[in-house]
Amino acid sequence: MGLPSQFVLLSEIGESTQAMLDSKMMAVLRNYGDLVDCIHFSDQYSPVKVQDEAQQAEMAKRSKVLIFTFNVPSQGHSTTEGMASMKPLMQLVFHCMEKVKRFKLTKESKQKAEKNRQKIEQQNMKQLHSQRQEMAQQRREDKRRAEKEKILAEDDPDKQRKMEEREHRREIKKRQPKVKQMKVRAM
């Protein structure tokens, strides 16, 4: 492909990579590679990964983006000459916008991308489910610990014994298998 060595390419679909990295883009990357920090194309961009449920719903709203990050020459003090030297990079931005606007994936590539994305979504859902289970288990343990501390904090030995018995009965009841009763009508 001829990509300069300072760049790393991450791509979900090779077909889109071949279409976007044309001769004009490669020439700009070779000649102005030191000024390019990052180029990111995505049809499902979500800026951050969050763990909160409420924010997870917002994350479902993904957008199509082209993100170009350039290093301004002359150590952040923009000069007229520095900005003029970036003109080919700005032209590259418009070139890429036009190229993306005209690009269409094949059916096979769309199906492959959809399959990969569903697999990732399932992994995320499993991870979220396991986190919820861990949190629920932690809450149950905290509640149990608080009950035991309450029993131990009781000054009256008679009340303490009654509380321990009540707790013991609850534990036995939880361990017993649940029986479902069904009514059968005689014919």
Side-chain angles (χ1 to χ4, degrees), residues 15 19-20 99-107 110:
E15 176 186 337
M20 294 301 121
K99 195 144 182 91
V100 167
K101 188 168 92 174
R102 286 183 267 125
F103 178 71
K104 297 286 183 223
L105 277 176
T106 61
K107 267 188 176 180
K110 280 183 183 179

Side-chain angles (χ1 to χ4, degrees), residues 92-179:
L92 175 69
V93 171
F94 291 110
H95 171 73
C96 289
M97 287 169 53
E98 288 299 316
K99 195 144 182 91
V100 167
K101 188 168 92 174
R102 286 183 267 125
F103 178 71
K104 297 286 183 223
L105 277 176
T106 61
K107 267 188 176 180
E108 294 84 28
S109 295
K110 280 183 183 179
Q111 289 173 345
K112 182 180 177 184
E114 189 61 35
K115 182 180 165 187
N116 290 340
R117 289 172 180 179
Q118 285 177 350
K119 191 184 298 182
I120 295 295
E121 187 66 30
Q122 286 175 348
Q123 288 174 350
N124 290 342
M125 292 302 285
K126 285 179 183 177
Q127 183 180 12
L128 185 63
H129 180 69
S130 67
Q131 287 175 348
R132 285 181 185 157
Q133 284 182 328
E134 288 173 12
M135 288 171 51
Q137 179 67 25
Q138 185 66 37
R139 282 193 301 268
R140 284 191 295 269
E141 288 175 8
D142 290 345
K143 187 177 177 182
R144 212 174 295 133
R145 192 176 306 118
E147 282 290 324
K148 287 185 180 186
E149 287 175 6
K150 184 178 174 185
I151 291 170
L152 294 175
E154 188 63 45
D155 290 336
D156 186 15
D158 193 39
K159 279 187 178 179
Q160 190 175 15
R161 184 181 49 78
K162 285 181 182 178
M163 291 173 94
E164 285 175 358
E165 286 175 5
R166 201 174 318 130
E167 184 68 27
H168 184 67
R169 281 193 302 260
R170 276 192 216 140
E171 290 293 323
I172 290 173
K173 188 176 179 183
K174 283 182 186 178
R175 288 188 191 132
Q176 288 179 347
K178 295 189 179 179
V179 179

